[in-house]
Amino acid sequence: IIVGAGIGGTTTALLLSRKVKNITIDVFDRFPKIVGSTIGGTWAANVYPGVRCDVPSHAYQLSFAPNTQWSEYYPQGAEIQQYYENTVKRFGLFDRFHLRHEVLGATWDERLNVWSVEVRNLDTGHIRTETADFFISSQGRISTPKYLQLEGLYTKFRGEVIHTARWRDEVDLTGRRVAVIGNGASGQQLIPNILSKVQRIDHYVRTKTWVTATFAKDLYEASADASGGPKFTNEELDLFKKDPKAYLEFRRQLELTLHRPPGADVLGSEANHSLRDAIIDTMLRRIGGDKDFLARILPDYAPGCKRLTPAPGYLEALVGPKVDYITDRIVRADETGLWTADGVHREVDVIVTATGFETGFTTHFPVLGLGGVDLKEAWSQDGELGYPNTYLGIMAPNVPNYFTVLQAQGNARGGTVPLQIEIAATFIAKATRKIQSQSYVALHPSAHAATEFNDIVSGYFDDKVTSDKCGSWFKQAPGRSRVLIAWPGSLHHRAGILKDPRWEDFHFVRSPDAKRNRFEYFGNGWTEKEARGDEREITDYLHEVRDVFEAAEHAHEAVAIKSKL
């Protein structure tokens, strides 16, 4: 059972369906009716005007399922959602996705060595219990909207209130006075994309943010009138489709820009100061050289403490005649608008809360492992441990056959989110195959192994920019607090460590048949492959050899999924 039909759960389902034999996969996702029943997670939930990814289309895709026909350099959210849904259908897994089904809780049954999972059908209200050998949480770290708690907002204000993550297309902003609260990625994308139709925008900002030219150096710098960058021409799309080598090289050059050298992530380093200067130059250029306004919008923390955001058109909108940039604290709402701490009342017709998401680094529902330990309670900030005590950002001690995707410590520096997911899913496949093929029924990492991993995590981020005084969903609290999102190292560092599981870190439970002899799985000494008698399968160790050294490196290993599909 996989929780979450975002790109984490979707990618994991796709890879496990090919990497693990004799597997049955069920994916449950809880999205409310306002979002609709679609695969894609955050890319299904966020449909506000202007939503798109700031990572290039041809990098923000699965390495094993490339799409040569992306329409723009930076993809719109709807195109990303459609890509993942189409890939699920292509793999024949669409019927295994149970949308509008909410997981209420999961309990490990120590007697039967299975997960018992309570699931509620959100259309009928019916609750049923599902069982599974393995339970994978990909619930999404940005999936539950954070609703603004403000006196009078939902009880007195007579206009419309809408959260960017629960956008309603029927809300017409034409000629209306709009308040936009929040300047994270959604607020920055929304403002330039509604600017032309509204009468005016009151933009309320609590924390200032660094606005970069691009997400990474050497990428295309999008503009207000072309926020997706250049559209691919018919000639380019035709080349990508017909010339695999040319397309591979194009993708390689994009990917190289996302593997940044170390240095700028160290607080107080020369590289971080240089990055700061470069971003200031970009921001000053985008606001037409207005140094007084620059002083109003510059953050007081190091760049990289929060996620850097390009936001084409956002800064240009702030210095335009339609936008009022407000940093005074909002104290309450009344029937017609908002009051700020300086005693000013501003009337508006619509209030948009671009206030982001609740942090999702511990489970949204009870997960009970050995001895009834509940991860939801133990890992919460006020719980027994106070933070997600993961093993390598994928598993949890004393919680057998449980895995997480894109949760705490599940995202390394460099590369893209889809690639990070592939690394995790491949590790999960290896653990699953070991249980499946060697007469075990369960495994879980030792508490000592998890503790020592988390000691490494704590020490690694001591001198990093994430420890500066900003507040961010990257970490537990503003200022110097525990970093939750990140792996202690680069993508290649993470991939190398997770490539070969450290089985010595695990506790294993043998199947009943193997309690007398651990090699029970030897069977009668023959394989199903031989019984089927397929000639190609029997000689599958033979391949066309183009490079003798490469052939030696991969001899007798499973053929990589990238070359199969």
Side-chain angles (χ1 to χ4, degrees):
I1 287 177
I2 298 174
V3 181
I7 67 172
T10 295
T11 303
T12 302
L14 295 173
L15 282 176
L16 291 183
S17 74
R18 291 300 187 271
K19 289 179 174 289
V20 182
K21 294 180 180 179
N22 304 324
I23 189 172
T24 302
I25 297 170
D26 286 292
V27 182
F28 295 101
D29 196 285
R30 64 175 181 166
F31 269 158
K33 249 179 186 168
I34 194 171
V35 175
S37 297
T38 50
I39 290 169
T42 194
W43 300 111
N46 287 278
V47 294
Y48 59 83
V51 60
R52 69 171 69 244
C53 187
D54 52 20
V55 174
S57 309
H58 293 277
Y60 199 83
Q61 62 178 344
L62 301 173
S63 69
F64 57 88
N67 170 27
T68 61
Q69 302 301 295
W70 292 101
S71 63
E72 296 176 277
Y73 190 90
Y74 296 111
Q76 293 187 52
E79 192 171 9
I80 299 170
Q81 184 277 321
Q82 197 60 56
Y83 163 76
Y84 281 95
E85 186 165 310
N86 289 342
T87 307
V88 167
K89 291 176 179 177
R90 180 179 163 197
F91 272 62
L93 289 178
F94 191 71
D95 291 342
R96 308 309 305 178
F97 280 68
H98 310 282
L99 305 174
R100 293 197 38 76
H101 282 72
E102 181 181 15
V103 171
L104 302 177
T107 302
W108 176 252
D109 188 321
E110 296 182 46
R111 184 176 61 87
L112 299 177
N113 291 302
V114 294
W115 280 98
S116 178
V117 183
E118 268 199 337
V119 182
R120 176 167 56 202
N121 183 319
L122 294 177
D123 290 322
T124 66
H126 175 69
I127 297 174
R128 69 178 190 268
T129 299
E130 299 276 349
T131 58
D133 302 292
F134 299 91
F135 184 59
I136 302 170
S137 176
S138 184
Q139 65 183 17
R141 56 197 182 200
I142 46 173
S143 61
T144 302
K146 181 184 288 184
Y147 290 103
L148 182 64
Q149 300 304 308
L150 180 68
E151 179 189 342
L153 182 61
Y154 308 107
T155 57
K156 291 185 177 180
F157 181 63
R158 292 197 295 256
E160 295 184 84
V161 180
I162 185 170
H163 193 288
T164 49
R166 295 293 182 263
W167 195 263
R168 302 186 302 274
D169 288 337
E170 63 269 21
V171 175
D172 184 10
L173 300 179
T174 304
R176 305 181 84 179
R177 300 164 298 175
V178 180
V180 177
I181 303 172
N183 65 332
S186 57
Q188 291 178 13
Q189 289 184 332
L190 177 72
I191 285 175
N193 282 280
I194 64 172
L195 189 62
S196 63
K197 63 171 60 175
V198 302
Q199 183 186 133
R200 77 154 204 270
I201 295 173
D202 294 332
H203 185 32
Y204 293 89
V205 173
R206 183 181 62 178
T207 305
K208 297 167 186 178
T209 189
W210 293 103
V211 180
T212 58
T214 56
F215 175 68
K217 189 179 178 182
D218 298 326
L219 293 177
Y220 184 89
E221 184 175 355
S223 60
D225 56 351
S227 56
K231 294 183 183 295
F232 293 106
T233 65
N234 290 334
E235 290 77 16
E236 287 171 322
L237 296 176
D238 196 48
L239 174 68
F240 294 159
K241 187 175 182 179
K242 293 181 178 178
D243 191 338
K245 287 185 177 179
Y247 181 55
L248 178 61
E249 186 56 31
F250 172 73
R251 290 172 65 196
R252 194 187 308 281
Q253 293 307 312
L254 280 179
E255 294 276 352
L256 283 171
T257 65
L258 302 172
H259 294 280
R260 304 182 297 278
D265 59 336
V266 176
L267 187 61
S269 65
E270 183 178 337
N272 191 258
H273 286 307
S274 296
L275 175 63
R276 184 181 188 276
D277 291 342
I279 298 174
I280 288 175
D281 288 345
T282 295
M283 294 175 70
L284 189 59
R285 169 169 54 85
R286 287 189 172 184
I287 59 174
D290 188 337
K291 292 185 177 180
D292 290 335
F293 189 72
L294 178 69
R296 291 185 63 198
I297 64 175
L298 273 186
D300 61 356
Y301 56 84
C305 185
K306 300 174 74 164
R307 189 184 187 278
L308 299 176
T309 48
Y314 170 69
L315 292 178
E316 295 87 337
L318 296 189
V319 293
K322 280 190 173 184
V323 179
D324 191 5
Y325 182 81
I326 305 158
T327 57
D328 293 295
R329 181 173 58 88
I330 307 171
V331 292
R332 62 187 173 91
D334 64 10
E335 292 82 355
T336 59
L338 296 169
W339 288 90
T340 46
D342 58 353
V344 175
H345 178 261
R346 296 174 178 86
E347 291 190 357
V348 290
D349 305 303
V350 180
I351 297 174
V352 179
T353 58
T355 45
F357 300 86
E358 302 289 351
T359 54
F361 293 106
T362 186
T363 70
H364 294 315
F365 47 82
V367 174
L368 277 64
L370 298 176
V373 173
D374 183 0
L375 290 187
K376 185 176 188 294
E377 292 184 3
W379 285 8
S380 65
Q381 195 163 350
D382 56 356
E384 181 183 349
L385 289 171
Y387 63 90
N389 183 39
T390 77
Y391 171 77
L392 303 184
I394 293 182
M395 299 183 74
N398 298 313
V399 189
N401 295 5
Y402 172 74
F403 305 93
T404 62
V405 177
L406 281 188
Q407 294 297 289
Q409 274 59 71
N411 199 101
R413 189 174 188 273
T416 64
V417 168
L419 193 54
Q420 305 280 359
I421 300 165
E422 290 182 32
I423 292 169
T426 300
F427 181 94
I428 294 169
K430 290 174 181 177
T432 305
R433 289 198 304 260
K434 185 165 182 75
I435 296 298
Q436 186 187 57
S437 64
Q438 295 181 13
S439 291
Y440 294 115
V441 290
L443 84 168
H444 65 91
S446 73
H448 287 305
T451 297
E452 291 181 11
F453 168 69
N454 282 283
D455 287 345
I456 294 292
V457 171
S458 298
Y460 180 82
F461 292 104
D462 276 349
D463 66 343
K464 301 301 186 290
V465 290
T466 44
S467 67
D468 206 5
K469 56 186 173 182
C470 75
S472 167
W473 59 277
F474 282 9
K475 53 189 180 178
Q476 255 183 344
R480 185 172 289 277
S481 62
R482 184 175 182 83
V483 173
L484 297 177
I485 187 176
W487 172 271
S490 69
L491 176 135
H492 288 292
H493 178 269
R494 178 172 180 253
I497 284 173
L498 294 179
K499 182 179 180 181
D500 296 308
R502 289 174 48 91
W503 300 125
E504 62 269 32
D505 291 344
F506 289 87
H507 298 295
F508 288 89
V509 179
R510 289 193 207 176
S511 69
D513 290 340
K515 287 198 173 171
R516 191 171 66 174
N517 190 317
R518 71 188 65 207
F519 297 115
E520 172 271 340
Y521 65 90
F522 275 36
N524 66 2
W526 294 88
T527 64
E528 291 182 359
K529 178 190 296 188
E530 291 162 302
R532 285 190 293 269
D534 182 277
E535 293 179 358
R536 284 188 175 274
E537 194 177 11
I538 288 173
T539 58
D540 62 1
Y541 49 85
L542 295 176
H543 306 282
E544 180 182 355
V545 175
R546 295 176 181 172
D547 183 300
V548 65
F549 300 109
E550 183 180 354
E553 182 182 346
H554 296 291
H556 299 288
E557 290 188 7
V559 178
I561 191 168
K562 291 181 186 178
S563 62
K564 275 189 175 180
L565 298 176

